Structure formats: structure tokens, C-alpha cells
Amino acid sequence: MTSNTITNGILKAIAILIGVFLLLYFLYKIQSILIYIAIAAVISLIGSPIIRFLKRKLKFPNTLAVITTLIFFIGILSGLISMFIPLIIKQGENLSLLNIDQLQTNIEHLINQTNNYFLAHNIDILNELKNVDLFKNLTAIPNLLNSVIGTVGNLSIGLFSVLFITFFLMKDTHIMENSIYVLVTDKSENKLRKSLSTINNLLSRYFIGLVFQITILFIIYMITLLIFGIENAIVIAFLCALLNLIPYIGPLIGGVIMLFLTMSSNLGQDFQSEILPTSIYVMIGYVIAQLIDNFLSQPLIFSNSVKSHPLEIFLVIMISGVLFGVTGMIVAIPTYTAIKVILKAFLADNKIVKSLTKNI
């Protein structure tokens, strides 16, 4: 082996590493667009049976069937949003600047009762709260509102982008597949077709499993909240169940939201006899739901749909979270599943690929 050969090999390896780095950096910078495409692909996958029904049974033209399906999805989204309006109005009344005196009185009363309760049990964890002025930063509310308005604007752009991409993915059903086939040789096209079929099957089962998971949590949360007479129980249960789509972090956020809304719905009542027991019982119900989810629903989904070990899934989700944040955690499992299937098709003889894809 000559020095020129070694030099060329080193330069080639460096060029490949630089190319991979630049590709990853590019993907990182356009991650929001990739997420839009992923969401649109999922919606088009869910909507394809509806489009087929409209075209075959009702004889709709392709474009009209796609538009009707999109309107149907928009209607569902609008219905879900309208569900949250009573909850937002209720919490807005509690936190409204117009009722700031009453709000301050209620919260101070709640803090005093909480402090007295823990002091009676020789626990002085709330002592420092006496020196905290909870209302000195209320002037920051206008800034918060501006931030909310900006977020709403970004969500509107995201929603429009997803709908636009979804329309064309539904209308031209093979547009994404054909664009992928361009990247491979004719010899590899067959393997890729089989891979895409397998991916479609696995992800369909995965998303059905997620719906099943969210439904179970929603029912348990709703029953728990209704038993203890919490206002807007259905909306709170749905919101907390939906947050479970965010692995590991979502259930924690959902628990905090459920605890806060449970306590805020009982503001003005006695802390020791009403607020504390109700909050404890609701959180016990929440924990039971999470135990059912962690030891029954999730293993069922992961083992029967994406064919991956729980530890493998955990590491993939954590790495995706570090690289791409919360959105990365949400799309980690579907993306990882797709990569595994493609690797099995093209690198079936590799030992690492064999180990990772033995159940697929």
C-alpha cells in the first residue's frame, strides 16, 4: 500500500465525515420543516382509508375526496379546540387581572392553610414563602400575553404548512415514494418498496396502539376527576392523556397540570378538609393510570408494533431529546423504526443490523 493510497483513503474518510456532519447540521436547522412533513405523512396515512371510501363507495373525484377528508380533520381539530374554551375561560377568571384582589386573597388563604397544616406536623418547608411577594411580578403579564400571541402566530404557520403538505400527499399518493425512489438505483428499488410496505404496516400498528393508550388513560383520568367533582373533567382528562405522547416528560407535565387544576377548582374551600384530600385522591388515580400505562399499554405497543426492546426505545428517545428537544422525543420511535427496516433491507448481513432487526 503506497503513501498516495493511504493519503487518498484518509482524505476520503475526512470528506465523508464532513459530509455527514453537514447533512446532520442541515437536518437540525430544518427540523421544524421535517416535523411538518412527518405530521402531514401521519395524517395522510390516517386519511387514506377515508379517501378510498369516498372514491369507491360515493364515487367522489380524487381532489374532492381529499378536500372532504381535510375538512373532516379540520372539523375534528376545531371540536377539540372548542373543548378547551370552557377550561381556559374558567382559569382565566381565576387569574384575571380584573379579579386580582380576590385572587390574591384566595391564594394567600391557601398558602396560609398549607403552611399551618405542615407546621402542625412539624414540617416547616413553607416558611420561606412568607417572605415571597407572589404578586410583585404581575407587571410581566403583558409580556406573557405578547409571547402567547407570538406562539399562536407560529402555530398558525405550522398548521397551514401541515395542511398544505397533507393536501398534496393525499392528492398525489405516491409523490413521496417516487421522490425516494429517485435516490436509489433500479436494482435497489425492489428492496425499498418492500421496506416502505413494512414501515407502513409497523407504523400503522404503532399509531393505532397510541390511540389505544391515550383512550385508556383518558377513561381512567375522566372517571377519577368525575368522582371527585372536578370541573371540566373531560377536558382536563383529555389534555393530560394527550400529553403522554411526549415520552417520560409528558406524564410529569400532565401530573402537574392535573394537580394545579384540581386545587384551583377548589379555591376558597378549606385546605385540610377539602383541597388536600381531593388533590391526594386525584393524584393517586393519576399514578394508578400511569402504572397501568407503563406496565401494560406501553410494553404492548412497543413489543407488538415497532418490535423494539424497552431499553432500546429509552435510549433512542433520550438521544433524540438531547438532539432535537421535545419534538425529537415525539417522532423518535417512528423514525427509528423506519431506519431499522431500511437497514435490514440494505445491510442484512451486518452483525449490528442483524441484532437490532432480528424481530422485524
Side-chain angles (χ1 to χ4, degrees), residues 316-328:
V316 168
I317 290 173
M318 289 296 100
I319 292 171
S320 299
V322 171
L323 294 176
F324 302 108
V326 173
T327 50

Side-chain angles (χ1 to χ4, degrees), residues 95-127:
L95 302 174
S96 173
L97 287 174
L98 297 176
N99 299 318
I100 193 63
D101 293 335
Q102 182 62 42
L103 174 63
Q104 182 171 353
T105 301
N106 288 338
I107 292 180
E108 287 179 349
H109 180 63
L110 175 61
I111 291 174
N112 288 332
Q113 285 188 318
T114 305
N115 193 39
N116 292 335
Y117 174 80
F118 281 103
L119 284 175
H121 293 78
N122 297 319
I123 302 174
D124 198 17
I125 60 174
L126 300 177
N127 184 53

Side-chain angles (χ1 to χ4, degrees), residues 81-92:
I81 292 174
S82 66
M83 286 176 58
F84 291 95
I85 292 177
L87 178 64
I88 294 171
I89 291 175
K90 177 64 179 177
Q91 297 306 315

